[in-house]
């Protein structure tokens, strides 16, 4: 379940100072009512009072549905037609999209009831994002076979997914590069502790594909990896940690997921984990999904929110970098590409990263060791970068960091 970041260039700290591990909660939008979504995001991402208690001051992002006809979760458009009207909360969702608090497209919508997705749905969604100046770098699959808009990056698991099948009415994957989609999650991309026992393990392997892991065969996996969709579109896939058994990942079993993370090993390896979650689901009982509501969760806050408070404590202690999904995945790409060029004593030029971004955004979070202890200046394309000097970390070396650019506060 521990995922590994790319090996950094010599002299680069694997994670932003002072953190020794990283975690992102990857939220699917299923059963996520808008009132609870607002309360939960305020709890996670602010430090003020919220309907669920004092804010935790983390950074946690979410996905959204663009289209849905179900009332139990919100969507940007009210209905399944490509010309469905904007929902009543669309203006507020624009705030989340512009600021980056929503960074994942959950398969464009919930087409489970009757299907019907066509390319026009994708075109309208991307036109909406373009008008806002927003992008969603992450695409995640959703639901059963009526969701033909899903994609299948791994050939052995291509069955009913047609979002990357040229000529099919649901084909849209060729739009990914122009829309800024860089990362894709498909149903086979699961890190999981398989239940003990040979038969149970075989069932887990069949259900989850070849990625189920036995408790003694845990393998570190890359945070993301290059893959091609059926139409040849190049993206990066990423794994999510599930390990909840038969019930779906839900707020009610988040504590069970976090209890399976070997925290000491994660910190020792400077690793990371992407946790697969449906925060709008309280639990699934007798085949029935119980959605989360503000009052229901507030009444059980001590139990249900304890895992989130644990993450906040780890973050405050300087051990765990809790960040948005796109931020973590993009940081992994940065780490894989950045190179250092010594300009002279105490001066280093940073090379690599996404040239479309300004240097401050491109290199944010990057931490470079100052082994001499006499100070270090960082440059990019002839311009000095603003940095923060850090004390010695667990290696005994001081460092300098390009500060992380915080997402806009949309709650104040």
């Amino acid at each position: 379940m521990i995922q590994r970041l790319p090996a950094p260039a010599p002299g680069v700290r694997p994670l932003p100072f002072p953190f020794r591990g990283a975690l992102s909660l990857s939220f699917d939008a299923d059963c996520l009512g808008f009132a609870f979504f607002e309360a939960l995001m305020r709890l996670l991402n602010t430090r003020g009072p919220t309907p669920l208690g004092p804010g935790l001051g983390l950074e946690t992002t979410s996905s959204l549905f663009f289209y849905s006809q179900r009332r139990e979760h919100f969507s940007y458009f009210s209905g399944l037609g490509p010309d469905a009207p904007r929902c009543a909360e669309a203006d507020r969702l624009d705030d989340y999209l512009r600021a980056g608090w929503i960074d994942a497209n959950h398969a464009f919508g919930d087409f489970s009831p009757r299907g019907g997705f066509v390319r026009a749905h994708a075109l309208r969604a991307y036109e909406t994002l373009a008008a806002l100046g927003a992008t969603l770098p992450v695409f995640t699959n959703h639901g059963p076979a009526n969701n033909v808009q899903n994609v299948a990056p791994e050939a052995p698991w291509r069955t009913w997914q047609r979002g990357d099948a040229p000529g099919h009415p649901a084909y849209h994957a060729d739009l990914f590069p122009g829309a800024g989609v860089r990362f894709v999650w498909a149903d086979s991309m699961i890190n999981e502790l398989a239940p003990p026992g040979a038969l149970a393990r075989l069932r887990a392997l069949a259900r989850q594909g070849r990625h189920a892991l036995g408790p003694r065969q845990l393998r570190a996996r890359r945070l993301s990896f290059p893959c091609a969709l059926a139409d040849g579109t190049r993206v990066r896939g990423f794994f999510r940690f599930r390990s909840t058994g038969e019930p779906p990942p839900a707020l009610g079993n988040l504590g069970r997921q976090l209890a399976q993370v070997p925290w000491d090993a994660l910190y020792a390896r400077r690793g990371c984990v992407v946790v697969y979650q449906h925060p709008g689901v309280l639990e699934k009982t007798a085949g029935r999904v119980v959605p989360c509501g503000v009052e229901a969760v507030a009444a059980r806050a001590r139990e249900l929110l304890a895992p989130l408070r644990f993450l906040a404590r780890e973050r405050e202690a300087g051990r765990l970098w809790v960040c948005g999904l796109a931020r973590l995945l993009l940081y992994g790409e940065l780490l894989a590409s950045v190179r250092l060029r010594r300009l002279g004593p105490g001066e280093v030029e940073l090379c690599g990263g996404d040239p479309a971004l300004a240097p401050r955004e491109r290199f944010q979070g990057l931490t470079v060791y100052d082994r001499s202890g006499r100070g270090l200046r960082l440059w990019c394309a002839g311009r000095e970068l603003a940095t923060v000097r850090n004390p010695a970390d667990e290696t005994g070396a001081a460092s300098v960091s390009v500060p992380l650019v915080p997402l806009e506060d949309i709650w104040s």
Side-chain angles (χ1 to χ4, degrees), residues 129-402:
L129 292 172
L132 294 171
T135 59
L136 297 179
V138 182
F139 180 92
T140 56
N141 279 355
H142 165 69
N146 278 344
N147 293 280
V148 293
Q149 75 277 13
N150 283 356
V151 298
E154 298 182 297
W157 312 109
R158 289 174 186 152
T159 52
W160 41 265
Q161 301 91 343
R162 294 293 180 268
D164 52 354
H168 192 278
Y171 178 51
H172 63 82
D174 62 313
L175 303 173
F176 279 178
V181 180
R182 300 167 69 160
F183 305 97
V184 166
W185 178 84
D187 309 78
S188 59
M189 297 174 185
I190 291 289
N191 275 343
E192 184 162 40
L193 284 172
L199 181 58
R201 177 167 170 78
L202 286 173
R203 287 173 177 164
L205 286 166
R207 186 177 69 250
Q208 300 297 341
R210 59 186 174 88
H211 304 301
L213 303 177
R216 297 185 182 180
Q217 289 93 25
L218 286 176
R219 291 191 287 143
R221 300 189 181 279
R222 287 174 290 176
L223 173 60
S224 69
F225 57 94
C227 57
L229 303 181
D231 66 345
T233 297
R234 304 296 301 182
V235 293
R236 296 190 69 85
F238 65 98
F239 292 97
R240 301 198 290 182
F241 177 58
R242 186 182 190 277
S243 205
T244 56
E246 291 296 334
L251 186 63
N253 55 34
L254 175 59
R256 177 182 172 186
Q257 289 177 294
L258 297 186
Q260 296 177 71
V261 176
W263 294 103
D264 289 344
L266 183 138
Y267 293 142
R269 299 177 194 174
R270 306 300 182 264
C272 56
V273 59
V274 176
V275 180
Y276 178 14
Q277 259 291 306
H278 296 99
V281 177
L282 185 59
E283 59 191 359
K284 188 175 182 179
T285 304
R288 185 175 69 90
V289 172
V290 180
C292 287
V294 175
E295 292 183 1
V297 172
R300 297 170 56 187
R302 183 173 182 179
E303 165 202 354
L304 294 173
L305 302 182
L308 299 175
R309 294 187 176 120
F310 164 77
L311 296 180
R313 290 195 299 273
E314 290 299 291
R315 196 263 180 220
E316 290 300 316
R319 290 185 287 266
L320 187 65
W321 182 29
V322 181
C323 61
L325 178 59
R327 191 192 289 274
L328 181 59
L329 294 170
L330 290 167
Y331 179 80
E333 281 200 329
L334 169 65
L335 208 60
S337 69
V338 73
R339 296 293 179 266
L340 307 185
R341 186 167 72 91
R342 299 287 171 180
L343 299 176
E347 297 195 345
V348 170
E349 182 172 24
L350 303 181
C351 308
D354 185 349
L357 298 175
R360 179 180 180 233
E361 285 75 28
R362 186 192 317 180
F363 296 109
Q364 60 176 307
L366 193 73
T367 299
V368 180
Y369 281 117
D370 175 17
R371 304 289 184 187
S372 71
R374 293 190 294 270
L376 191 65
R377 299 167 69 188
L378 303 183
W379 297 78
C380 175
R383 302 183 67 175
E384 185 174 4
L385 297 174
T387 58
V388 175
R389 181 162 179 79
N390 308 311
D393 65 5
E394 67 281 356
T395 70
S399 61
V400 295
S401 295
V402 180

